[in-house]
Amino acid sequence: ASQEEFAEDEAPTYRGGEAFPASHASLAGDKLTVRFGKANVTATYRVTAGRDYLALRLESLVGDPIDRIDLVRLRLRKRYQCL
Protein backbone atom coordinates (compact mmCIF):
# COMPACT_ATOMS: atom_id res chain seq x y z
CA ALA A 1 0.00 0.00 0.00
CA SER A 2 1.21 3.49 -0.72
CA GLN A 3 1.51 6.11 2.01
CA GLU A 4 -1.70 7.70 0.76
CA GLU A 5 -3.59 4.39 0.87
CA PHE A 6 -2.32 3.79 4.40
CA ALA A 7 -3.29 7.26 5.48
CA GLU A 8 -6.84 6.99 4.18
CA ASP A 9 -7.58 3.53 5.57
CA GLU A 10 -5.75 3.32 8.87
CA ALA A 11 -4.75 4.96 12.14
CA PRO A 12 -7.85 6.90 13.14
CA THR A 13 -7.92 9.43 15.96
CA TYR A 14 -10.99 9.96 18.11
CA ARG A 15 -12.70 12.94 19.69
CA GLY A 16 -16.05 12.73 21.44
CA GLY A 17 -16.84 9.32 19.95
CA GLU A 18 -16.18 10.45 16.37
CA ALA A 19 -13.36 8.83 14.36
CA PHE A 20 -11.09 10.87 12.11
CA PRO A 21 -8.91 8.83 9.71
CA ALA A 22 -5.39 9.92 8.96
CA SER A 23 -5.17 12.17 5.91
CA HIS A 24 -1.43 11.87 5.29
CA ALA A 25 1.53 9.81 6.53
CA SER A 26 5.20 10.31 5.73
CA LEU A 27 8.48 8.83 6.90
CA ALA A 28 11.65 10.97 6.81
CA GLY A 29 14.65 9.29 8.36
CA ASP A 30 13.51 8.04 11.76
CA LYS A 31 10.49 10.40 11.98
CA LEU A 32 6.99 9.20 11.12
CA THR A 33 4.50 12.05 10.77
CA VAL A 34 0.77 11.30 10.64
CA ARG A 35 -1.73 14.06 9.89
CA PHE A 36 -5.41 13.90 10.75
CA GLY A 37 -6.66 16.76 8.61
CA LYS A 38 -10.32 16.86 9.66
CA ALA A 39 -9.34 16.60 13.34
CA ASN A 40 -6.66 19.32 12.97
CA VAL A 41 -4.03 17.10 14.62
CA THR A 42 -0.48 16.06 13.64
CA ALA A 43 1.40 13.31 15.47
CA THR A 44 5.14 12.81 15.06
CA TYR A 45 6.81 9.57 16.16
CA ARG A 46 10.44 8.48 16.40
CA VAL A 47 10.82 5.07 14.74
CA THR A 48 13.41 2.62 16.02
CA ALA A 49 13.83 -0.67 14.19
CA GLY A 50 15.74 -3.53 15.73
CA ARG A 51 16.31 -7.01 14.45
CA ASP A 52 13.29 -8.37 16.33
CA TYR A 53 11.19 -5.29 17.00
CA LEU A 54 9.79 -1.99 15.81
CA ALA A 55 9.38 0.77 18.40
CA LEU A 56 7.37 3.96 17.95
CA ARG A 57 7.74 6.80 20.44
CA LEU A 58 5.39 9.77 20.34
CA GLU A 59 7.60 12.87 19.99
CA SER A 60 4.92 15.52 19.50
CA LEU A 61 1.18 15.96 19.20
CA VAL A 62 0.10 19.30 17.76
CA GLY A 63 -3.40 20.65 17.17
CA ASP A 64 -6.81 20.30 18.76
CA PRO A 65 -7.39 18.00 21.76
CA ILE A 66 -8.19 14.34 21.02
CA ASP A 67 -9.24 11.34 23.10
CA ARG A 68 -6.95 8.74 21.53
CA ILE A 69 -5.06 7.57 18.43
CA ASP A 70 -5.14 4.02 17.09
CA LEU A 71 -1.71 3.98 15.50
CA VAL A 72 -1.58 0.35 14.46
CA ARG A 73 -4.29 -2.02 13.28
CA LEU A 74 -3.09 -5.52 12.61
CA ARG A 75 -5.04 -7.54 10.09
CA LEU A 76 -4.06 -11.14 10.62
CA ARG A 77 -4.94 -14.04 8.41
CA LYS A 78 -4.74 -17.61 9.48
CA ARG A 79 -2.04 -19.21 7.35
CA TYR A 80 -1.09 -22.30 9.32
CA GLN A 81 -3.19 -24.75 11.20
CA CYS A 82 -2.10 -25.33 14.78
CA LEU A 83 -1.69 -28.92 15.93
Side-chain angles (χ1 to χ4, degrees):
S2 70
Q3 288 179 356
E4 289 76 19
E5 289 169 330
F6 164 81
E8 291 176 4
D9 294 336
E10 302 296 331
T13 189
Y14 297 86
R15 180 186 308 123
E18 186 176 356
F20 299 91
S23 56
H24 180 80
S26 62
L27 182 63
D30 66 348
K31 299 284 185 179
L32 171 65
T33 301
V34 182
R35 260 188 277 154
F36 305 90
K38 291 186 179 179
N40 189 35
V41 173
T42 299
T44 302
Y45 298 87
R46 178 178 304 271
V47 179
T48 305
R51 196 185 115 192
D52 298 337
Y53 68 91
L54 177 66
L56 301 168
R57 177 179 162 191
L58 182 63
E59 294 283 312
S60 70
L61 187 62
V62 178
D64 295 340
I66 57 171
D67 298 325
R68 79 173 205 252
I69 296 174
D70 288 350
L71 179 61
V72 177
R73 287 188 181 179
L74 298 176
R75 294 182 183 148
L76 303 176
R77 292 184 181 159
K78 184 176 178 180
R79 297 184 93 186
Y80 302 99
Q81 188 172 23
C82 295
L83 300 176

